[in-house]
Amino acid sequence: MQAVVCHGPRDYRLEEVPVPSPPQGGALVRVEAVGICASDLKCYHGAAKFWGDAIRPAWAETRVIPGHEFTGRVVALDDAAREKWGVEPGDRVVSEQIVPCWQCRYCTRGQYWMCAPHDLYGFKRRTPGAMASYMTFPPEARVYRVSGELSPAHAAFVEPLSCALHAVERAGIRFDDVVVVAGCGPIGLGMIAGAVAKFPARVVALDVSDAKLALAEKCGADLTVNVSNTDPEPIVRDLTGGYGADVYLEGTGHPSAVPQGLNLLRKLGTFVEYSVFKDDVTVDWSIISDDKELDVLGAHLGPECWPAAIRMVESGRLPMNEICTHQLPLADFQDGLELVADGTQSIKVSLIPE
């Protein structure tokens, strides 16, 4: 089969590799679509680490097939997998991006998304990803059925949407909150949709692209602000009687969005960080402590949010055709990476294996 294989920073190659065999208790899946994530791009451009004679990206092993947001059809599985996951050959499925070990401190406490070994599809050789014609699901995986009526690219969007919904869950949004979402890319748009579903007083979307802000409105944002030409602070102050936003969800990955959020929040507000940052971010921590006593929370992956994300995509409430802007053949993976790196011509880019 064809597969994209990581050989190091900026060295991903399309190769012919053997079709894998389904593991005992697992499944063989024919990949229908795989999205390119900002973290995939971070791995591709990653600073090199030296391991003996090998050079590896800082976040991925070499000789691994990337791709952690995907959908596909079950080709083969045994009775144990069939009973565990409730799927049959021919079913369209997705799998959570992490394959938990189910034995570490986090897994045994129900916090599987922070699993200590942290085997994510597409980052370690133990869990090859979906930039290939076929992939396998290990027996430890978390697997869900998805409607076969969806476009494959739309079904693959369940992964980033689940991540966005987890960030929304972390925020603890209340009915009278004013929620600000920074960034209207795949994660930010999912945050907007998830925040709107919590029915707060207002959801305000921030971005530098008018086209993305228009898409944010279609996802339910009550108000949009182009921060390249308008200061959002007086607008948010006006909405909140001068106090500031109750919740700020950061989904841009740009360092300037972090102090922006700290300044927009009211005292005792909540800041949720999800983005993948290329560079370190420095802020005035006295704003978090002495000035405002903020709750600053991280969010990682999409634990327990996959069923909701599946329902949301299947419901048709999201403008999926406008979110999933590009579907390219697997052989054009380099063009896909460049589209994601550019950031101005696309929202969600997916690869479609033959």
Side-chain angles (χ1 to χ4, degrees):
M1 68 175 184
Q2 285 193 325
V4 177
V5 181
C6 168
H7 288 273
R10 300 176 183 269
D11 187 8
Y12 284 23
R13 308 172 197 170
L14 187 68
E15 299 180 357
E16 291 286 330
V17 302
V19 174
S21 299
Q24 184 176 357
L28 176 67
V29 174
R30 177 174 58 83
V31 179
E32 292 184 301
V34 52
I36 300 178
C37 175
S39 59
D40 292 318
L41 193 66
K42 183 171 76 169
C43 289
Y44 178 74
H45 290 288
K49 283 186 176 180
F50 290 85
W51 299 67
D53 295 328
I55 301 176
R56 300 178 182 174
W59 303 276
E61 296 179 348
T62 52
R63 300 186 301 281
V64 68
I65 298 171
H68 62 276
E69 49 183 67
F70 51 80
T71 191
R73 300 275 183 172
V74 177
V75 174
L77 76 171
D78 58 21
D79 289 340
R82 181 181 287 107
E83 180 178 354
K84 175 173 50 185
W85 296 326
V87 301
E88 298 287 343
D91 285 348
R92 173 178 280 164
V93 290
V94 293
S95 178
E96 293 199 28
Q97 61 282 84
I98 190 166
V99 179
C101 73
W102 300 116
Q103 297 176 359
C104 71
R105 172 177 182 167
Y106 302 106
C107 286
T108 57
R109 293 184 177 192
Q111 300 160 328
Y112 69 90
W113 67 99
M114 298 306 296
C115 173
H118 226 68
D119 291 336
L120 298 174
Y121 288 111
F123 294 93
K124 294 185 180 180
R125 295 190 201 109
R126 288 193 295 267
T127 47
M131 290 189 188
S133 303
Y134 295 88
M135 67 182 301
T136 57
F137 291 172
E140 298 84 7
R142 290 170 64 93
V143 177
Y144 308 89
R145 280 190 297 180
V146 184
S147 170
E149 302 300 315
L150 294 173
S151 158
H154 297 182
F157 189 73
V158 167
E159 191 277 344
L161 181 56
S162 73
C163 295
L165 296 185
H166 177 48
V168 170
E169 289 279 77
R170 290 281 281 162
I173 295 170
R174 301 169 61 118
F175 292 134
D176 60 350
D177 282 347
V178 169
V179 180
V180 175
V181 177
C184 297
I187 294 295
L189 293 172
M191 289 174 172
I192 291 165
V196 169
K198 295 290 186 179
F199 212 69
R202 290 287 183 92
V203 175
V204 181
L206 311 180
D207 204 282
V208 297
S209 164
D210 288 333
K212 290 181 178 180
L213 290 168
L215 195 50
E217 290 183 347
K218 294 183 179 181
C219 290
D222 300 296
L223 182 66
T224 62
V225 181
N226 188 322
V227 296
S228 68
N229 53 42
T230 303
D231 184 358
E233 187 166 357
I235 296 172
V236 172
R237 298 286 177 194
D238 185 60
L239 286 174
T240 58
Y243 288 101
D246 302 282
V247 174
Y248 183 86
L249 300 169
E250 203 291 297
T252 71
H254 195 283
S256 66
V258 178
Q260 172 183 262
L262 298 179
N263 290 326
L264 287 177
L265 283 169
R266 64 166 170 81
K267 294 179 180 180
L268 302 175
T270 300
F271 187 119
V272 181
E273 180 56 64
Y274 197 92
S275 287
V276 175
F277 287 99
K278 176 185 175 184
D279 301 309
D280 293 342
V281 180
T282 301
V283 298
D284 180 358
W285 276 77
S286 63
I287 298 174
I288 298 168
S289 57
D290 189 49
D291 291 356
K292 293 186 177 181
E293 195 176 319
L294 301 176
D295 287 334
V296 178
L297 305 172
H300 179 60
L301 306 185
E304 311 300 350
C305 292
W306 283 70
I310 291 169
R311 291 195 302 272
M312 188 173 286
V313 172
E314 291 179 343
S315 73
R317 65 180 294 177
L318 297 179
M320 293 303 303
N321 286 331
E322 296 175 72
I323 293 172
C324 297
T325 53
H326 293 75
Q327 294 87 52
L328 307 177
L330 186 66
D332 294 344
F333 73 91
Q334 194 72 53
D335 292 339
L337 288 166
E338 291 172 6
L339 273 170
V340 176
D342 176 83
T344 63
Q345 303 177 54
S346 66
I347 303 293
K348 173 49 63 179
V349 178
S350 297
L351 302 175
I352 310 296
E354 295 182 359

